[in-house]
């Protein structure tokens, strides 16, 4: 996929692979949030400050810089909800097919809480005991039978075993989804940038999915 290409300081649209639009303030100057075009490289180049607002009332400031291999920037993020400061988190930003994928790290306390929530599956022990008892009953009733009676005997247990196993999986999925919502800030953002303006969606925002994001991004000028 191609991206923006600049020819004689005029942006030329050649495909939507990345989101950075290159704007020229004067001849020979492009917008600094420039992602290299072509399939071989898509590098985020430079240092930037991002001011973001979230539809749930949060706001954040990102500070990112290149320096890692590939299309990745590392950075830090400060988060706020109204006048309340929610802390500083590390982040990674990388090029994706739709634009930019931002992953914000949880704190150690949030990781511990998420692990605890993920491991605490309501009803799992009782369901597992029920599954074990069903399998034991199947073994007792069927193991001494010759074929094809053995196969016929075990098949009658397929439906209850499947139902119990599915209930366990659903309970574990629910616990995982709850664990993914742990944290005071948004941990996954999918962003687009055009003309220095940012738009997109954020997920895992203290339990809220699909929170709209808007804002601006500016280069850090060398002094």
């Amino acid at each position: 996929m191609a991206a923006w290409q600049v020819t004689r300081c005029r942006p030329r649209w050649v495909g939507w692979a990345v989101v950075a639009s290159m704007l020229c303030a004067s001849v020979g100057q492009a917008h600094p949030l420039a992602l290299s075009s072509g399939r071989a490289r898509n590098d985020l180049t430079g240092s930037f400050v991002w001011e973001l607002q979230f539809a749930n009332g949060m706001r954040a400031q990102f500070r990112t810089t290149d320096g890692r291999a590939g299309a990745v920037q590392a950075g830090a993020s400060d988060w706020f909800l109204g006048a309340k400061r929610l802390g500083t988190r590390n982040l990674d930003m990388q090029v994706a097919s739709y634009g930019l994928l931002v992953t914000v790290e949880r704190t150690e306390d949030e990781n511990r809480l998420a692990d605890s929530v993920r491991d605490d599956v309501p009803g799992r022990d009782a369901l597992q005991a029920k599954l074990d008892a069903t399998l034991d009953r199947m073994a007792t009733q069927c193991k001494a039978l010759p074929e094809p009676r053995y196969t016929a005997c075990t098949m009658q247990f397929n439906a209850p075993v499947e139902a119990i196993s599915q209930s366990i999986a659903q309970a574990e999925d629910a616990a995982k989804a709850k664990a993914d919502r742990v944290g005071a800030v948004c941990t996954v953002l999918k962003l687009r940038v055009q003309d220095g303006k940012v738009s997109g969606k954020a997920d895992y925002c203290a339990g809220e999915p699909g929170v709209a994001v808007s804002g601006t991004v500016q280069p850090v000028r060398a002094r």
Side-chain angles (χ1 to χ4, degrees), residues 3-51:
W4 282 95
Q5 293 179 345
V6 174
T7 305
R8 294 185 180 179
C9 206
R10 293 180 183 275
R12 178 164 63 89
W13 180 248
V14 291
W16 183 247
V18 291
V19 294
S21 65
M22 295 180 174
L23 304 179
C24 296
S26 60
V27 174
Q29 293 181 339
H31 188 281
L33 187 58
L35 308 186
S36 303
S37 63
R39 298 185 179 183
R41 284 170 58 88
N42 277 317
D43 294 341
L44 287 163
T45 304
S47 298
F48 303 93
V49 175
W50 307 67
E51 300 287 348

Side-chain angles (χ1 to χ4, degrees), residues 75-92:
S77 58
D78 294 320
W79 293 81
F80 306 87
L81 181 60
K84 181 181 179 181
R85 182 180 176 86
L86 302 177
T88 299
R89 321 294 176 95
N90 293 330
L91 65 85
D92 280 337

